[in-house]
Structure formats: structure tokens, C-alpha cells
Amino acid sequence: MRSTCTALLLATLVVALACDESPNSPIDESGYALVPSYAKEVASPTASWRIPLADNGLGLVSDGAFGDGTYSVYDNGVCSVTTKIFTAGSGDATLQTNNPVGKTKGCGGRAMTVRYPVGDPVYPNGGSETMPVFLNLHNISNSTTTISIGYANRVERQLSLNPTQNERCDAWRWSSVQVPGDYVWVERISSTTYHVYTKDRDPDPVLAAANAANNRAVCTTTGQSHHLSVDLYIVANQALPTSSLNILPALPLVEHSTSAPFHSVTGGGQIDLSGFDPDLAAETYAFSASVDADGHVRGNAQIDLSDPHVTFHADVTCLAVEGTSAWIGGVVTETSDATIVAENTPLWLRVQDNGQGGSSNPDVISFLRI
């Protein structure tokens, strides 16, 4: 089969989905594919939400309480605050500042302030309103979505703020779903920590200046957008899965020909799932793929997944290589359980060769993506 995507130099896992031309691949609102990783879920954790005490220019401001010198901290179970990351479902991270279920003796709840800047299109003189709130950051970690660590891997997400009493707006939405607004960036800092910010708060000052107006939140009551800057951190109380794990042991993965535009990828190994569940067996991957100078792709893959358990064979139909990374796409031709992975199912995965020898980092492989 002649591949139309082998000439692409792909920089991210998401772009590699160009190898799958099926119109039925589920896509979330920010354009990121929702695909199963087949890893057992981590129990839904709680989290700490942290808003800077130095809040000049912010449109979402803390109440200043429970400060640590840098942030006002909203901790689960403290002063009627409840938080959760729904890793077993939507992947949303939520915060409620006056949850009666989590009511704390002697403290009726916390608040936040929406602060409109002077020149706001609806409130030109500015102003503010303080209220208990329910915050919902959409889809940051579950069985189908994982954000990789690093600035280059940040993603756009919708942030919703709902007051828990009657205010000017029933809700504010940092998104562009209904009326032109702006998504927030979600940048993963570590295995537990996510930095959430509007585009005018970009850590790169050049990009921050270029996006100075890209901080609009839409009021669902009026349909109007307001310039409300956000800058906060969400820290889970336990490590959450990353998008790739070390393979143990691994064979050499990526080889480059010195002649013509030709690539071959051969390798195999195991993904250790004991970090998710010590009772889970390792997943086993083996693959071989090549593309010639005319773009013809050949190869196959054999994969044994643990949870749910299924073994299947795939014909490779697409290969893209950049540096020491490769993206392999294919179609399932044989399967041990069609109710889990059916024949003709498109799939892809990413591999990275980090060199040989004791001084080299381990090679890595992504979870399988359907």
C-alpha cells in the first residue's frame, strides 16, 4: 500500500493521527483524539488548587486565605473545600469552595473573586464580584487522555466557573464553543502538577505579549465575553500516568538508511504496568516496519495487552520518522477477542530510540492508540 503520510515530519503524538484517515475517530473539543490506552485506572485523586497571592492583572482572584507565601491554597477537606480529578470518568478536575457534604466545623467555605478590568466591553468602569464557586477544568487525565510533561506538550482546554449563588452570570466559560472566547493552556509540570493559564499569561514573554487579548471568558447569561486572565496550579495528591513508559528490555528500535529517503523500524519489548496495579502482567509489543523511497510501506505488529486481555496482529500501513522517534500506524488483521479489538480496527503507537550502551537512557514506547 502506498502511504500518503510518510513524507510528514511529525512532532507530536496527536499529529500522528494523520495516519488514520477514518472519519469515526472520536475527537474532543480541542481537537485531541480520545483513544483508549488499556491501562488500569488510578483511583480518582483529590487535588490542591493554588492561585497566586501576587494577583495583579488576574481576572480570577483568590480570597487570600490559607496562603503559603506564594499561593492561596484550596485544599480538599479544608474549610468546606472539595476537589477531585475524575480519572475513572471524564478526566475533569473540579473544585467546590462551599460543598455542604465536605463542610468543615468552624468554616463555612471559601470564595473567589471575578475582577473585571477597566475597559471591559460590558462593565467599562471595571468592578468585581466575590462568591463561592465551582470550577471545572475539562479532561486532563483519564483512560483516554493523558497530557505529557513539558511546555511543548501543553494542550487547550475549557475552564468553567460556576457561582454557587446568583451573580451577573450563571457561568463563565474560557472556551470558544458558543460565543468567541479563548481556551486556557494546560501545561503539565510534573507527574502531579498542572499549570493552567490564559494565553496572555504565557511563560514566554513574547507569546504573552502577542496574545495579550486572548483571555476572553464568555458569560453564559449574556453571551458576552470578558477579558479575565487566569493563572493557577492544580496539584494532584498522587502521581498520574504519563503518556509513555519505559520498555524492559528493548531491542534497537530505529535504523536509518544512508541512501535515499528510506526508513526502517524494528523492535519490541514490554510495558511494565506494576505502577498502576502490581497484579497486572506486562504488555508485550513487537513490530517491524519499513518505507521505501517511493513511499511504499510494509510491516507488521504483534501486541499482547493486559487489561483487558487481548492479543492481536496488525499489518503496518503507515510509517513516519523524525530523528530517533517513529510513529507506526496499522490495521488489525487477526484478534483473540473481537469484542475488545475487532478486525479492521486502525491503530498507532510511537517509539523512541535513545541509543545503546549503559550510558544511554532507556528506549520508550507509547501505549497503543486505537
Side-chain angles (χ1 to χ4, degrees), residues 6-94:
T6 52
L8 298 177
L9 297 181
L10 305 179
T12 69
L13 292 177
V14 172
V15 179
L17 285 171
C19 298
D20 173 12
E21 298 178 354
S22 168
N24 298 317
S25 298
I27 302 293
D28 77 359
E29 63 192 3
S30 60
Y32 286 78
L34 304 182
V35 284
S37 65
Y38 291 105
K40 178 160 283 189
E41 296 300 333
V42 178
S44 294
T46 61
S48 171
W49 290 58
R50 304 178 184 183
I51 299 180
L53 292 168
D55 56 21
N56 184 43
L58 287 180
L60 181 62
V61 180
S62 75
D63 58 10
F66 295 89
D68 64 3
T70 304
Y71 303 101
S72 178
V73 180
Y74 294 78
D75 271 332
N76 183 68
V78 178
C79 196
S80 301
V81 170
T82 56
T83 67
K84 192 170 184 179
I85 302 176
F86 290 86
T87 54
S90 65
D92 294 1
T94 63

Side-chain angles (χ1 to χ4, degrees), residues 136-190:
N136 184 1
L137 177 64
H138 287 213
N139 196 20
I140 63 169
S141 182
N142 63 10
S143 62
T144 61
T145 300
T146 302
I147 301 172
S148 299
I149 295 171
Y151 177 85
N153 299 312
R154 60 188 180 164
V155 298
E156 291 182 316
R157 287 293 185 263
Q158 176 176 300
L159 176 66
S160 302
L161 184 152
N162 299 66
T164 55
Q165 62 192 47
N166 293 328
E167 300 293 341
R168 293 175 179 175
C169 293
D170 290 334
W172 291 262
R173 300 281 188 269
W174 284 266
S175 73
S176 60
V177 175
Q178 298 169 324
V179 177
D182 296 293
Y183 289 105
V184 297
W185 282 124
V186 179
E187 176 186 344
R188 192 169 185 182
I189 305 299
S190 70

Side-chain angles (χ1 to χ4, degrees), residues 93-142:
T94 63
L95 161 72
Q96 184 168 345
T97 63
N98 66 338
N99 193 333
V101 176
K103 187 174 181 181
T104 306
K105 185 177 180 180
C107 184
R110 304 277 305 275
M112 291 186 186
T113 296
V114 174
R115 189 164 60 190
Y116 301 99
V118 174
D120 180 87
V122 180
Y123 311 113
N125 295 324
S128 64
E129 48 191 325
T130 299
M131 70 205 85
V133 299
F134 179 84
L135 279 167
N136 184 1
L137 177 64
H138 287 213
N139 196 20
I140 63 169
S141 182
N142 63 10

